Amino acid sequence: MRQTPSQTVGPYFAYGLTPEQYLYDFKSLVGNRLVDPLAGPEAVLIYGRVFDGQGQPVSDALIELWDAANRRFGRFGTGTDPDCRFLFHTVKPGSVDGQAPHLSVIVFMRGQLIHSYTRLYFPEETDANAADPVLNAVPEHRRQTLIARRTPAGYEFDIYMQGERETVFFEI
Amino acid sequence: MSQPTIPLFDREVQPPYLAPGYKSTVLRAPTQPLVVIPHSLSERTGPVFGAANVGPLDHDLTKNSMKNGEPLGERIVVHGRVLDETGRPVPHTLIEIWQANAAGRYVHKVDQHDAPLDPNFLGTGRVLTDAEGRYKFYTIKPGAYPWSNHYNAWRPNHIHFSLFGPNITTRLVTQMYFPGDPLLDHDPVFLSLPPKGRSLLICRFDMAVTEPHFALGYQFDFVLRGSGSTPFETV
């Protein structure tokens, strides 16, 4: 049977997919707390922005995060933060299948007819990253687009749809 | 790690990233080729939702946000199945639903279309497929609405859907259209699909589920990537 084709999530997904975040009167399926941010020292903030081809931050993207190591899922729209950031409270995952620790990221937005898959890796995992089969499938000069930046607040992971720093997206 | 065992996106029916007729793709479509990666547990797993995630009225958008009466518009019932590419049902999988009201207005605060909101219609819901992959929900037929893509641009009537399936490779966000809608020939979002993909997003009027004196019936099946034998683990 033929796959059902994808269509864009459009600009008006918020009351359906992230209602509580956008203050609509409907219960959210999931939010951006994969763990309680006060859970302890292991809880970290993952945040970033999505940039279009003109370097403008996208205010109507939907980001989903899948942590396969801990089987946790989160979802956040970029339309409620004044700087168009997405924010997730989670823990740095352990390794799965011998890969470097990473989170799977799915990007949806108006102007994307089909969603994009990428991964977030951690900068301090130098050795594990160097041996990671997925990072090694990526041309070396583009690997850095998949590695988050450690900041005092947590990890920053900006997603560039186009341009010199265009994020690597996967066919999975 | 293993080589992909799940079929990739079928480019004969799936839309491209870049479809210049749909203007916002121009600055948002990735320009570099996608990198094919071996599948690991990261790709063979995904979030699992169940009955606890679906409220008692979530499958009835005509009732789940009533304030002082029934929502306005044409009541419809939409049903069908969620299948994999081999035709096997995908049981107990979540479908999220959102749409405009009968006047073509979204509740979303960014929607500035000069059409009335309906106090009794939020336009969002959820439903789980049963053991045979079947689903059914009630709603109001959404109206067409104008948008700013080009002069006199109108979106055809459509309902938005989000499905998960067994793992993150089966994730699907799409829109279902209605048969005979004259706007389909003018809509760059719909026309972004390769010709073979277009009919796959148009539901079928279904007299068999049309409920006398109550609601018109439409039938629509979803086909997710992959096969039911795809290994996956539940949370």
Side-chain angles (χ1 to χ4, degrees):
Chain A
M1 303 188 77
R2 296 317 285 255
Q3 294 170 6
T4 300
S6 172
Q7 292 274 264
T8 181
V9 76
Y12 305 136
F13 62 81
Y15 68 96
L17 302 185
T18 50
E20 289 178 47
Q21 181 199 338
Y22 285 72
L23 305 179
Y24 292 103
D25 186 16
F26 194 67
K27 191 172 172 6
S28 282
L29 183 66
V30 290
N32 68 336
R33 294 183 171 196
L34 286 76
V35 301
D36 183 339
L38 304 176
E42 293 196 336
V44 295
L45 181 68
I46 304 253
Y47 65 96
R49 295 191 285 180
V50 181
F51 293 95
D52 71 13
Q54 288 182 329
Q56 295 300 308
V58 171
S59 64
D60 54 7
L62 174 72
I63 305 297
E64 292 182 343
L65 208 61
W66 172 239
D67 172 355
N70 295 298
R71 308 295 165 92
R72 294 190 184 117
F73 178 74
R75 178 189 263 179
F76 201 74
T78 60
T80 59
D81 180 83
D83 298 320
C84 304
R85 291 179 303 175
F86 57 85
L87 305 123
F88 291 96
H89 301 280
T90 187
V91 295
K92 181 180 163 184
S95 171
V96 293
D97 273 359
Q99 303 169 93
H102 65 273
L103 296 163
S104 297
V105 180
I106 315 179
V107 181
F108 303 85
M109 70 185 99
R110 172 177 65 84
Q112 266 216 132
L113 289 156
I114 187 164
H115 53 278
S116 296
Y117 293 101
T118 186
R119 283 185 175 194
L120 181 160
Y121 284 86
F122 296 87
E124 63 277 7
E125 296 286 341
T126 319
D127 294 344
N129 288 346
D132 184 82
V134 168
L135 285 175
N136 281 309
V138 172
E140 190 174 0
H141 69 282
R142 301 191 64 207
R143 281 178 206 157
Q144 205 58 35
T145 69
L146 301 175
I147 299 172
R149 198 164 65 85
R150 190 80 173 105
T151 69
Y155 292 97
E156 183 174 26
F157 184 67
D158 287 332
I159 297 169
Y160 292 86
M161 300 312 299
Q162 300 179 351
E164 277 180 25
R165 288 187 282 184
E166 180 174 324
T167 299
V168 171
F169 298 106
F170 299 120
E171 176 102 45
I172 69 169
Chain B
M1 306 290 292
S2 61
Q3 291 306 305
T5 52
I6 299 165
L8 301 176
F9 284 119
D10 179 355
R11 300 293 173 185
E12 284 192 10
V13 299
Q14 296 286 357
Y17 277 122
L18 179 65
Y22 174 22
K23 285 184 182 159
S24 26
T25 65
V26 173
L27 291 175
R28 295 179 170 202
T31 65
Q32 299 288 326
L34 300 179
V35 175
V36 179
I37 60 172
H39 280 163
S40 70
L41 208 56
S42 304
E43 289 72 40
R44 291 196 302 268
T45 56
V48 175
F49 302 102
N53 299 109
V54 179
L57 288 177
D58 282 2
H59 72 290
D60 190 344
L61 284 70
T62 71
K63 292 196 170 60
N64 70 11
S65 49
M66 280 175 58
K67 296 286 188 289
N68 56 11
E70 299 266 346
L72 294 173
E74 182 182 323
R75 199 184 290 118
I76 62 173
V77 51
V78 181
H79 80 115
R81 295 206 296 167
V82 180
L83 305 166
D84 68 20
E85 286 185 75
T86 68
R88 288 170 51 160
V90 182
H92 312 300
T93 199
L94 183 74
I95 304 174
E96 298 171 282
I97 305 155
W98 74 102
Q99 62 165 87
N101 69 19
R105 177 76 188 266
Y106 284 87
V107 167
H108 198 292
K109 61 191 174 201
V110 175
D111 184 2
Q112 298 298 313
H113 177 32
D114 182 21
L117 287 169
D118 184 335
N120 295 304
F121 189 75
L122 181 64
T124 186
R126 296 182 188 114
V127 63
L128 269 188
T129 60
D130 68 12
E132 279 81 46
R134 289 188 295 252
Y135 74 90
K136 182 163 96 167
F137 67 92
Y138 293 86
T139 189
I140 297 294
K141 189 175 181 184
Y145 63 86
W147 60 312
S148 58
N149 187 71
H150 57 275
Y151 173 71
N152 211 8
W154 292 79
R155 296 294 332 275
N157 305 335
H158 63 276
I159 298 178
H160 294 264
F161 292 102
S162 154
L163 292 87
F164 287 89
N167 57 57
I168 66 168
T169 74
T170 52
R171 191 83 178 83
L172 172 68
V173 168
T174 193
Q175 303 178 27
M176 180 196 89
Y177 301 96
F178 290 84
D181 189 332
L183 291 170
L184 290 172
D185 292 339
H186 303 276
D187 178 42
V189 177
F190 176 72
L191 295 175
S192 72
L193 296 167
K196 280 185 184 174
R198 293 176 191 164
S199 63
L200 301 174
L201 289 186
I202 301 174
C203 64
R204 181 177 68 82
F205 173 67
D206 192 348
M207 201 65 200
V209 297
T210 293
E211 299 183 20
H213 304 286
F214 190 71
L216 292 179
Y218 290 94
Q219 183 265 338
F220 187 73
D221 288 342
F222 297 93
V223 179
L224 303 181
R225 285 171 64 189
S227 70
S229 60
T230 300
F232 71 95
E233 299 181 16
T234 54
V235 169

